[in-house]
């Protein structure tokens, strides 16, 4: 039976370092522990929050419920087929460490997603992505507990209905608790180097035909140069999604603002660089109280020391209002606000 802790500070369990207390916290280190926790009479009817690395949440208040701290570990290389190599890990695996491990197993394909904070179990919820790759492109299935039936289920890529920073798990919040993830990595690996930062970093290193480890190292270098370490400056990584607009709207935006940064999508839409929009509104390096916009990357909001969740939310709303007023574009936050 897992141990139930009462009145627990969550400051160390969220990467923003925001103060909040949970009525209960229980650590889930196995499927059996999850089943036992759900059966605890003390927790009946209480709101539930599953936390992995706490890298995609803004805590604005105390949580009068139970936090399931996901700590199921384990990595496994599964059998290959003609098209792919399969790897599986527990939901509590640290994402970056898992990516590194796949390369040691001669299973390239995740290197563009290096150094993204969080856990393996949280990755499908957000459909994490960076530098030209989304998790959905490497996804096979998840094993999860369906809290409506109490049964463990296997959910395929099609069922998970991935979109840009979106998935079934965001559309039906709280229903599924992910305990393990299986990824499908290509047998015929090809480098993904289309993003300017990646190609420039490789070029500066004199690398013309990079292998997966070299791309991994380049992405780590880029992220460390551009983004703050949550252990040193509280943050949740990219705070806003890049807004997606249709071709006509993007053309109108470019007509008014010729330097607008955007990326054409396969379906004909355009993804506008949210960081550029925020930067153009003068927010980079600015702050409201103890909440600030990072000086090197305007897409990242930071806790300058002593900020509360309400401070982060107030800053986010001010940034949204500025971008909406100047560009007529709505920014949507990535983190869950609680």
């Amino acid at each position: 039976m897992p141990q139930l802790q009462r009145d627990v500070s969550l400051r160390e369990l969220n990467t923003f370092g925001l103060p909040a207390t949970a009525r209960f916290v229980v650590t889930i280190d196995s499927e059996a522990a999850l089943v036992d926790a759900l059966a605890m009479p003390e927790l009946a009817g209480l709101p539930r929050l599953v936390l992995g690395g706490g890298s995609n949440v803004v805590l604005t208040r105390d949580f009068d419920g139970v936090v399931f701290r996901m700590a199921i570990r384990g990595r496994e290389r599964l059998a290959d087929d003609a098209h792919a190599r399969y790897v599986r890990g527990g939901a509590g695996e640290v994402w970056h460490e898992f990516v590194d491990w796949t390369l040691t197993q001669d299973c390239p394909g995740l290197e563009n997603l290096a150094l993204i904070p969080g856990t393996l179990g949280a990755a499908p919820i957000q459909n994490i992505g960076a530098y030209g790759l989304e998790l959905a492109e490497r996804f096979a299935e998840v094993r999860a507990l369906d809290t409506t039936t109490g049964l463990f289920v296997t959910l395929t890529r099609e069922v998970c209905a991935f979109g840009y920073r979106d998935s079934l798990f965001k559309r039906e919040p709280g229903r599924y608790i992910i305990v393990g993830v299986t990824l499908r990595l290509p047998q015929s690996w090809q480098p993904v180097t289309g993003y300017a930062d990646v190609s420039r970093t490789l070029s500066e290193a004199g690398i013309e035909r990079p292998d997966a480890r070299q791309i991994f190292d380049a992405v780590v270098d880029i992220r460390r140069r551009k983004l703050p370490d949550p252990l040193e400056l509280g943050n949740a990584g990219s705070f806003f999604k890049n807004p997606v607009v249709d071709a006509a709207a993007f053309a109108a935006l470019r007509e008014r603002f010729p330097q607008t940064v955007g990326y054409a999508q396969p379906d004909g839409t355009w993804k506008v660089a949210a960081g550029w929009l925020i930067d153009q509104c003068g927010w980079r390096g600015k702050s409201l109280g103890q909440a600030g916009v990072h000086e090197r990357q305007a897409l990242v909001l930071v806790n300058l020391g002593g900020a509360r969740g309400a401070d982060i939310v107030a800053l986010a709303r001010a940034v949204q209002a500025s971008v909406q007023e100047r560009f007529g574009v709505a920014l949507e936050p990535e983190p869950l606000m609680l």
Side-chain angles (χ1 to χ4, degrees):
M1 184 69 68
Q3 181 181 3
L4 194 63
Q5 298 175 283
R6 300 172 183 266
D7 301 320
V8 179
S9 170
L10 300 178
R11 188 187 294 273
E12 301 300 321
L13 300 184
N14 73 98
T15 58
F16 258 119
L18 299 171
T21 299
R23 190 201 295 194
F24 295 109
V25 170
V26 59
T27 298
I28 306 299
D29 59 8
S30 67
E31 292 185 7
L34 176 58
V35 173
D36 289 344
L38 289 170
M40 287 181 173
E42 303 96 320
L43 307 183
L46 289 179
R48 290 190 295 263
L49 172 64
V50 179
L51 282 181
S55 60
N56 198 48
V57 63
V58 177
L59 300 174
T60 63
R61 54 183 169 78
D62 291 339
F63 186 67
D64 190 24
V66 55
V67 169
F68 286 179
R69 186 177 185 184
M70 184 54 63
I72 299 176
R73 304 301 291 263
R75 307 165 183 168
E76 183 181 5
R77 179 169 178 180
L78 306 176
D80 300 349
D81 63 23
H83 304 288
R85 302 166 182 175
Y86 295 85
V87 292
R88 180 169 58 203
E93 285 287 326
V94 176
W95 172 258
H96 176 66
E97 294 176 2
F98 188 81
V99 174
D100 190 16
W101 171 80
T102 62
L103 296 182
T104 69
Q105 299 297 305
D106 191 28
C107 295
L110 299 175
E111 55 281 343
N112 291 59
L113 306 181
L115 213 61
I116 293 178
T119 56
L120 180 57
I125 298 173
Q126 189 75 356
N127 185 22
I128 60 173
Y131 301 110
L133 183 71
E134 288 190 339
L135 181 76
E137 299 171 65
R138 303 289 190 248
F139 183 85
E141 62 187 30
V142 299
R143 179 171 168 82
L145 182 74
D146 185 344
T147 61
T148 63
T149 64
L151 300 176
F152 284 98
V153 295
T154 297
L155 304 175
T156 64
R157 173 179 170 177
E158 291 71 26
V159 173
C160 291
F162 292 115
Y164 172 54
R165 302 296 179 270
D166 194 23
S167 68
L168 167 72
F169 309 107
K170 295 187 78 170
R171 295 177 210 139
E172 297 188 36
R175 176 174 176 179
Y176 298 101
I177 299 177
I178 295 172
V179 296
V181 181
T182 301
L183 299 176
R184 183 181 186 276
L185 307 179
Q187 286 280 13
S188 299
W189 175 83
Q190 296 292 326
V192 179
T193 58
Y195 258 67
D197 281 344
V198 176
S199 61
R200 182 169 53 250
T201 300
L202 291 169
S203 177
E204 289 173 352
I207 301 171
E208 295 183 2
R209 297 183 179 180
D211 59 26
R213 175 61 70 177
Q214 289 170 323
I215 294 174
F216 175 95
D217 291 341
V219 169
V220 169
D221 178 60
I222 294 164
R223 294 185 72 93
R224 284 179 173 160
R225 281 189 280 112
K226 294 181 64 174
L227 304 174
D229 183 343
L231 295 177
E232 299 175 0
L233 189 63
N235 72 90
S238 297
F239 195 90
F240 297 102
K241 298 179 183 180
N242 290 318
V244 178
V245 301
D246 61 34
F250 186 74
L253 196 59
R254 271 263 172 95
E255 185 173 348
R256 293 173 56 213
F257 305 97
Q259 302 303 315
T260 300
V261 178
Y263 308 96
Q265 303 302 296
D267 63 358
T269 61
W270 284 78
K271 189 180 291 184
V272 186
W276 183 87
L277 297 172
I278 298 166
D279 202 358
Q280 294 301 301
C281 290
W283 278 104
R284 184 154 56 99
K286 299 295 179 63
S287 62
L288 290 179
Q290 292 303 304
V293 178
H294 193 247
E295 60 187 9
R296 294 196 305 271
Q297 173 51 269
L299 198 53
V300 177
L301 304 190
V302 296
N303 179 356
L304 296 171
R308 305 185 69 85
D311 301 322
I312 302 296
V313 172
L315 175 61
R317 289 176 175 166
V319 169
Q320 288 173 299
S322 292
V323 171
Q324 181 71 54
E325 180 179 4
R326 180 168 184 186
F327 296 101
V329 175
L331 293 183
E332 181 181 349
E334 285 195 26
L336 176 66
M337 310 282 188
L338 287 177

